[in-house]
Amino acid sequence: MLKKTLLLLLLFFFAITNAQKKINLDEGWKFHLGNSANPDKDFDYGNKLLLHKSNVFETTIISPKFVDSTWTKVDVPHDWVVALPFVKSATHEMDSHGYKPVGGLYPETSIGWYRKHFSVDKKDEGKRFEIQFDGVYRNAAVWVNGFYVGTNFSGYVGKSYDITDYMNFENENVIVVRVDATQSEGWFYEGAGIYRHVWLNIRNNVHIPEDGVFVYSTVNGKNASVTIETEVENKNLTSSKGTIYSYVTDRNGKQIAKTSEQNFTLSVNGKTTVKQKITLNNANLWSLENPYLYKVVSVVKQDNQIVDKKKVNFGIKTVRFDANEGFFLNGKHIKIQGTNNHQDHAGLGSALPDFMQYYRIKLLKEMGSNAYRTSHNAPTPELLEACDSLGMLVLDEQRLLNSSPEYVDQFQRLLRRDRNHPSVFLWSIGNEEQNIQGNEYGKRIAQSLLAIQKKLDPSRTSTYAADMGNDFKGVNEVIPIRGFNYRQFAVADYHRDHPNQPLLGTEMGSTVTTRGIYEKDEIKAYVPDQDITAPWWASKAEDWWKLAAENKYWLGGFVWTGFDYRGEPTPYKWPNINSHFGILDVCGFPKNIYYYYKSWWTNEDILHISPHWNWQDKIGKPIDVWVNTNADDVELFLNGKSLGKKVMPRNSHLQWQVNYEPGTLEAIAYKKGKKLTTKVETTGQASKVIVSPDKTVMLADGKDGTVINVSFVDTNGKEVPDANNMIYFSISGDAKIIGVGNGDPSSHEADKCAGGMWQRSAFNGKCQVIIQAGKTAGSVILEAKSNGLVSASTTIQIK
């Protein structure tokens, strides 16, 4: 019995060690800026011949022996642009990217060099080695041990390279990456650098390639038929044969179904796709309320031993788009309540740790949003994982409407990478291509991309985000789901003329607001924090949402935007360095428009008064008071005196003109007979700092972290909404601060503080600090101090 047990353990160990390994390479990179205009300052790149012979690198930066000991040590994800100063400029490229000195005009800060030293186990010699970059912005050229292996043009879709032939098993290996951000891909802040994860994949010669498992399903009553397509390839120098099977587990890892083993034979460099089916009884459907995730494991065997296995999360759901009745998820009618978002966050730029994806999606769900558009580019994989886990639909978008080999390759990589995510309910083939969307060019390109989408993912369909009104010629002739960017006034006419084409607001709203500001300020470049200001091409929240909410043929829509983002300042330029479009600011602090959407996007009891009630310089003068609620009626009181009762119109708000006097402004509302109350009060000056961590336990993995929000109270414990005090942060224990912010769209304070001297002024009562865990268990104490105020601290446990 003992011998049998040992034999089974040895076989299990052999199977594990022969299966695929995925090693994270995020830590221990070296970084140095280059220069796009001067080869002498770009480590002689351009002066030396590097491409005329293989492995010829002379004494340049490409050489594995190049000395990089004085370079800056960084871990990836890394965005070098977020740490650069703001630079005033009159060029549109600069203001749209947030006035950071990157691009052709700034050669000294637009090239970044990265080097990574690593070793591999000699026991793995004979296997296949692949380097996987999830995202590098942008135009990233890669060398391994002096060999050029390729360049990824895209700043958003990751790319992998087989580096087997270049591996060194006796000494360390060196990866060199030259990142060229002199040209941009978007018109918003994009950052620069290796801003997503890097992996080393080690596989057997017969293996499942990257993104080689595709899972999709059909639902029949309570049961589901799951189809598993597994690709296997042979990199041996002789033909190979084996078997492949798959099994499904529930969310707890319990195996619940398994296919039979299917034989395959592959020639040298041959590939095949094995299609297998499994029936799941009483299937749990993935939904917004219960985002149930199954796992499928595909297993490759040779000589009765496991040589590779691949695990993939998937969900089972049904989706229906009806041109007259709207959108249905698992047969349930749902109005799409979405937001558009770029991928940067205060203090971090575009290099977001994984925990930040979950934090941001959680905030959007709390608001009532159920869908997320990845405008206008392939998202980081961890964003989709957060949406899968938390229950958020995703409109996954291609960067450009273009059918050239480069963009077809990008689209194919996007489809293959993301098609297993249950959160992805719809693809977008592009956004606002004004020069071609209304003509034959756009139509033909759209047809080509749609054919690719249907081949690689027949389980879904596509839309296109068109800033067009009641126009049909071009892309709209062939796109399955008509997308409207603004032009909400034309949706009804388009539906009348094309009643069989489902309609979706791919980009709506664009109200511009500055959190906590109530008067237009052209000097500081602020706009009022109410739903009153929108650019000429956009609309206020109430203008579009009433139409979407009250007409079934609207599938729903995506607001521009969920979060503020760096760049694209509107309606002002400098000193503005980020947008005002967000329902939440760049830190994720709610603006007043947040409560409008939450009132009508959730069933929660919402009653919110704005503005705050600190207006000592306006005693006796009228204050415009807004109430956002989903109650039936509201009565407003100032210091106990009624200012009148009003009925709450659906999908709207209420307003009063109130002559200011210090004290308490209270609202009393009734919702189906239930009494709701809220108030705003005049406060004193800030006397104490308050810190509020999003979570108080972090994993000791060097990657987990938490967001800590800072606010203030006066001597009576009332939160002070207009405090702008400077906060100084310090931290003890095995953790580090990685960014600070305050949501001020005109703040030029540093997101990354030099020398560890972390500080940030509050903006209208709030600021934020983000910390990341180390790898040692224990306590971490974050302290926040401000001159003249009682300081605050919080303890975070690392486990």
Side-chain angles (χ1 to χ4, degrees), residues 593-612:
I593 201 170
Y594 169 95
Y595 298 97
Y596 170 76
Y597 284 111
K598 189 164 186 175
S599 292
W600 307 116
W601 283 8
T602 74
N603 293 319
E604 296 178 35
D605 297 333
I606 306 300
L607 181 59
H608 175 75
I609 302 173
S610 59
H612 57 74

Side-chain angles (χ1 to χ4, degrees), residues 209-389:
E210 180 186 3
D211 303 324
V213 178
F214 178 31
V215 189
Y216 52 96
S217 59
T218 57
V219 177
N220 303 299
K222 292 184 178 181
N223 303 329
S225 176
V226 179
T227 301
I228 305 162
E229 295 184 11
T230 305
E231 188 178 314
V232 60
E233 65 180 355
N234 174 34
K235 288 294 184 179
N236 282 315
L237 298 179
T238 58
S239 62
S240 298
K241 60 182 180 179
T243 61
I244 189 166
Y245 69 92
S246 299
Y247 61 89
V248 173
T249 76
D250 63 14
R251 62 169 31 155
N252 298 315
K254 179 184 177 182
Q255 183 175 314
I256 54 177
K258 180 182 176 182
T259 71
S260 60
E261 293 192 22
Q262 190 166 333
N263 295 320
F264 66 83
T265 300
L266 293 174
S267 59
V268 177
N269 288 324
K271 282 186 180 182
T272 191
T273 298
V274 176
K275 183 182 292 188
Q276 299 171 304
K277 288 183 180 290
I278 285 178
T279 297
L280 297 183
N281 298 321
N282 296 313
N284 289 295
L285 301 187
W286 185 95
S287 67
L288 302 174
E289 301 79 17
N290 180 30
Y292 193 96
L293 294 176
Y294 290 95
K295 292 180 177 63
V296 66
V297 182
S298 291
V299 182
V300 179
K301 293 175 67 177
Q302 287 187 291
D303 298 325
N304 207 34
Q305 295 174 343
I306 295 173
V307 296
D308 199 10
K309 62 168 62 177
K310 182 77 171 178
K311 182 188 294 184
V312 172
N313 289 337
F314 74 99
I316 299 169
K317 68 180 188 298
T318 66
V319 168
R320 180 164 68 92
F321 301 93
D322 189 283
N324 294 301
E325 296 299 316
F327 172 69
F328 294 82
L329 178 64
N330 301 328
K332 176 184 176 183
H333 180 264
I334 291 174
K335 188 72 74 170
I336 294 171
Q337 300 168 174
T339 64
N340 290 272
N341 293 283
H342 290 311
Q343 58 181 4
D344 61 294
H345 189 91
L348 303 174
S350 294
L352 271 62
D354 297 349
F355 70 88
M356 287 300 300
Q357 308 294 349
Y358 290 82
Y359 179 76
R360 285 163 62 90
I361 296 301
K362 181 184 69 171
L363 293 182
L364 293 174
K365 276 192 69 85
E366 288 172 353
M367 181 182 75
S369 178
N370 58 24
Y372 184 110
R373 176 176 170 224
T374 66
S375 43
H376 307 286
N377 47 260
T380 188
E382 290 72 30
L383 169 72
L384 298 182
E385 291 172 5
C387 292
D388 290 345
S389 298

Side-chain angles (χ1 to χ4, degrees), residues 17 19-27 29 76 116-122 124 127-134 163 167 169 173 175 196-203 310 703 775:
T17 55
Q20 186 175 144
K21 299 178 185 177
K22 188 171 186 176
I23 301 169
N24 183 269
L25 293 184
D26 286 354
E27 297 179 2
W29 289 79
V76 301
K116 166 74 176 177
H117 301 251
F118 69 101
S119 298
V120 293
D121 195 326
K122 188 171 176 59
D124 286 328
K127 295 185 178 182
R128 307 302 301 184
F129 288 79
E130 178 186 78
I131 187 76
Q132 174 184 331
F133 294 92
D134 283 349
I163 58 172
M167 295 303 296
F169 294 94
N173 297 271
I175 304 169
R196 295 181 183 170
H197 295 304
V198 183
W199 308 92
L200 179 66
N201 299 318
I202 306 175
R203 303 185 177 105
K310 182 77 171 178
K703 297 182 180 296
K775 296 183 178 181

Side-chain angles (χ1 to χ4, degrees), residues 74-195:
V74 300
D75 294 333
V76 301
H78 177 245
D79 174 3
W80 81 70
V81 174
V82 70
L84 297 177
F86 296 100
V87 176
K88 185 177 182 180
S89 171
T91 66
H92 173 63
E93 289 74 19
M94 277 290 285
D95 73 61
S96 69
H97 282 77
Y99 294 103
K100 289 289 188 176
V102 64
L105 295 176
Y106 301 93
E108 68 280 1
T109 50
S110 297
I111 301 291
W113 287 93
Y114 292 86
R115 290 173 59 86
K116 166 74 176 177
H117 301 251
F118 69 101
S119 298
V120 293
D121 195 326
K122 188 171 176 59
K123 290 186 295 186
D124 286 328
E125 190 170 6
K127 295 185 178 182
R128 307 302 301 184
F129 288 79
E130 178 186 78
I131 187 76
Q132 174 184 331
F133 294 92
D134 283 349
V136 184
Y137 193 86
R138 57 171 300 279
N139 201 28
V142 181
W143 291 262
V144 174
N145 293 332
F147 289 91
Y148 171 74
V149 297
T151 298
N152 186 16
F153 180 83
S154 172
Y156 295 104
V157 183
K159 197 163 188 176
S160 300
Y161 304 95
D162 189 319
I163 58 172
T164 304
D165 295 343
Y166 316 131
M167 295 303 296
N168 190 329
F169 294 94
E170 304 298 333
N171 299 298
E172 68 178 8
N173 297 271
V174 181
I175 304 169
V176 180
V177 184
R178 183 179 189 266
V179 182
D180 185 345
T182 54
Q183 179 62 267
S184 58
E185 290 185 60
W187 50 97
F188 38 84
Y189 180 87
E190 298 178 281
I194 305 177
Y195 73 103

